Amino acid sequence: MLATLVTAVVHGLRGELIRVEVDVAPGLPICHIVGLPDAALSEARERVRSAIRNSGFEYPLSRITVNLAPADRRKHGAAYDLAIAVGILVASGQVRASTGGWALLGELSLSGDVRAVPGVLPMVATLARAGYRRVAVPAENVDEARLVAGLEASPVEGLDDAARLVAGPRGRRAGTATRRAGISVSGGAVAAESPDLTAVGGSVDLADIQGQAHARWALEVALAGGHNLLLIGSPGAGKTLLARAIPGLLPPLAPDEALEQTVIRSVAGRLKAEQGLISERPFRAPHHTISYAAMVGGGPHLSPGEVTLAHGGVLFLDELAEFDRDVLDALRQPLEDGTVEISRAHGSIRYPARVQLVAAMNPCRCGWAGDQQTMCRCPHGEPERYVRRVSGPLVDRLDLRVEMPRVPPTELVGERTAEASTAVAARIADARALARARNSGRPNAHLPGPAGVRACRLGPAERRLATELATRAGMTARGVHRVLRVARTIADLGSREAVTEADLLAAAGFRDPAATPSLAA
Amino acid sequence: MEGHGAGTSTDGERDAWISLASAPGVGDRIFWALIAEHGGAKAAIRAVASGVGLTLPEVRIPTRTKDALAAVSRDPRRAHRRLEELDVWVVTPLDESYPDRLRILDPPPPVLYGWGAQGVLSADRAVAVVGTRRPTLEGRALTARICTRLVGVGVVVVSGLAIGIDGAAHAATMAAEGRTVAVVGGGHAHPGPRAHRQLLERMLRTGGAVVTEHAPDILPTRGTFPRRNRIISALGDATIVVEAPARSGALITARHALEQGRLVLAAPGRPGDVHTGGCLALLRETPARPLVGLDELVVDLGYDGDGRASRDAEGAAAHLSLEGALAMLGPVERAVARRLAQGPCGPDALVAATGLTAPVVSGAVTLLLLRGWIQAMGPAYLPSGPLLGADGR
């Protein structure tokens, strides 16, 4: 007897419809899965057999053939388990399918429990577009599935639940089958959420950061305008601490961005249970030993990398100079286009990757070049080389460079209270809203040269000053545009319609990222 | 080339002198030994060409140097062609124009090669300003202040074109429109660190000179730098060590100066501070004198010939020019400039000192940078131009 069910697979950030056909025919008891399955999928037959038996059903002693159509598309993952198992039940006549096609998503455990799978949101969205109205999803994924309008997502906790749903109220045996209770050895339930290692632990409030007035302001400007920021400073200057304040300063995601971010997290399998739409902007801080594939995406299933996970938010690279040159080079495309394309033999995928880069590094290998208390131990010329190594691939994409000295001890133990994150975050949100309204949704940092000049609305005096700045400082065209973009953001922070002379001067006060640091002269 | 004219016998001797000194490996020791043995450079080259004359009673010549000497004897004009190619002038102790200051060396460099104005080596007033390759910001600022003041009393500043205090000294001298001399550790085909190529060209344009005792194609090595330090100290009437840790080439310069009977002044630092450990050691172990202030410096150098009254007037004028300069600024820039006139500091310190906000300070700093009153250095800003006028008090 033949049974046909529907499920979906994720490709990039989009789902694709997969039809699961199960045929149970007389013959030697054997189970074939055809249709380009990968290892995890081939192992489904073992999981399915145990799940069926442990859910109170019978595993048919017949020849079982499972076909996944379209047959030419490579399939991976364990999200088909549930559809295969229910297909076998239907094909062997243990469950009679009611009218109305059910789409099924979920991985099975040997006990018949249904486990969460990644990518439920895009898969359900695909099913909805294809006209399916009812979908069974793992209970842990139901919040995510319900973000999709126009279809009814039913949570299932076990194979028996799914069988009952498919059979409908008049189902025969499905009603009586129950899972065997599993015996838990470890006692308590395993914590569902594993700690997210790449997210910096615990956010920091700006009020807790002493000194560094200039760097704080630079961070405010960078976040308000979406400018890529490079922090250079000796160990202990507070670079990482400052970066850890970023999550508390970012404005929440707009609704369309939120959905996109939720899809990305869903595909990456990083959406926690009972977490609906993601509202906070991502802040990703991968370690400098990160591989190329982990940064831009890739691996056997072309999964999204850190740049995609940070889409719409901030990618923080601590110890920038210690990253592999290849990894840094790979950041060019995302920083330029806002997308990243991964091409492999079996296909290519384009992921969104519009990130704001915040990077931190030491001024030299030993870390003390330019420090006033500790002597640099690097050989002569080494500090310049060290900085040039990273500035090469990234310099065109950096708008701001801030050199952070160590905070003097008097200030560390001082009583002076700094401005809190909430006040700064409010200014950043206002400035971003202004910029978005003016630049048709883009932050200032993404304005191309001429558009940036127009956005500044320079008066004659400002134009003169800009010219003088450019000629006296020997700026390149890129440098001029950079200063204008930053000036535009500074004006936005002050809610000024046009860029003033003071804004221009303040913007020019930032070091040019392209200039090598003048530690020696 | 200067003094290149009629083929008198002394001119022939001078040319031979230059050829002989151009052989790689021939330092002043071997050179003077050859001259003493053969009675002159021409005779020495003839002797080498005939295959004898390389066995000296006191000095053993390495085989490689012997080969180089043989090559010179085969083509004595080669060295002269190379000098013309690089447009390098030479001066030897045979010449009238050989700087008297170098004649006190025993032995003096047989040939001095140079670019730029030769006369600057014999200026009335010349002072060597030296220090570490890794100075603190305060060290740089102090160097700039010292050089600005020295230019004010008509001094030519001599230094070594190295990264660090040397470079700061040359740059500050030129910023104050003074002339400056660099003594480099290699030949003119490899003049000083690449990072200072622009500085070098500016020195030549502003009436300074770049000199060395090495033939153009000699590479600077570990050994050549301490040797050239004796020329730096000799070319100055005094040597000022601005900042030197316990191990520093500047200390070698200072010791040379003391051996040459020149005055040595060292800027003292706080005991225990590694950056000035060498200066303190100089002050404790040698007759070097402490540098306590710019006015006192001028007195110690003996350049206050016009008497005390005029010196006070000069000091007052310096203060006046600082106040006058500050008066040209807007209130915000003035506050920032006043803080920077006291010494180098970063933007955070400026925010703390002036009570202004970071954007305002950033704007003020831009204006001061544009005017050339400050310069950016690592995470901080250094006073420059008019802000160096006062003693920072």
Side-chain angles (χ1 to χ4, degrees), chain A residues 219-229 313-314 355-357 397 399-400 428 432 435 443-446 489:
Chain A
L219 185 66
E220 181 177 336
V221 172
L223 293 180
H227 304 285
N228 295 326
L229 170 70
V314 169
V355 297
Q356 178 181 0
L357 183 69
R397 283 90 181 166
D399 274 351
L400 299 173
I428 290 175
R432 278 200 176 210
N444 292 333
H446 297 164
T489 301

Side-chain angles (χ1 to χ4, degrees), chain A residues 11 33 42 61 84 224 257 282 299 317 323 355 357 363 388 412 414 429 452:
Chain A
H11 183 71
I33 298 180
S42 298
L61 288 172
I84 294 172
E257 292 175 309
L317 303 183
F323 280 80
V355 297
L357 183 69
R388 238 192 331 259
L412 282 180

Side-chain angles (χ1 to χ4, degrees), chain A residues 211-215 217 369-380 403-405 407 411 416 465 468-469 472-473 490 502 504-511 517-521, chain B residues 132-138 140 162-165 167-168 193 196 245 274-275 333 346-348 351-352 358-360 362-367 369-372 376-381:
Chain A
Q212 300 296 7
H214 185 69
W217 175 58
D371 190 80
Q372 290 306 291
Q373 284 123 60
T374 315
M375 272 243 211
C376 173
R377 298 243 158 269
C378 296
H380 166 64
E403 279 156 36
M404 294 172 69
V407 178
E411 221 162 304
R416 227 144 40 98
L465 178 64
E468 193 195 343
L469 281 172
R472 292 284 286 280
I490 295 172
L504 278 172
L505 288 173
F510 285 112
R511 301 286 165 83
S518 46
L519 296 166
Chain B
T132 174
R133 284 186 165 77
R134 289 174 187 169
T136 62
L137 295 169
E138 280 77 11
R140 279 178 192 282
I163 304 287
I165 294 291
H196 278 172
V274 287
H275 295 103
E333 288 83 41
D348 295 336
V351 168
V360 172
S362 179
V365 158
T366 309
L367 271 181
L369 277 169
L370 275 184
R371 284 170 181 252
M377 183 68 61
Y381 298 99

Side-chain angles (χ1 to χ4, degrees), chain B residues 164-181:
Chain B
I165 294 291
D166 286 13
H170 290 304
T173 306
M174 285 185 284
E177 297 178 356
R179 292 183 300 164
T180 174
V181 174

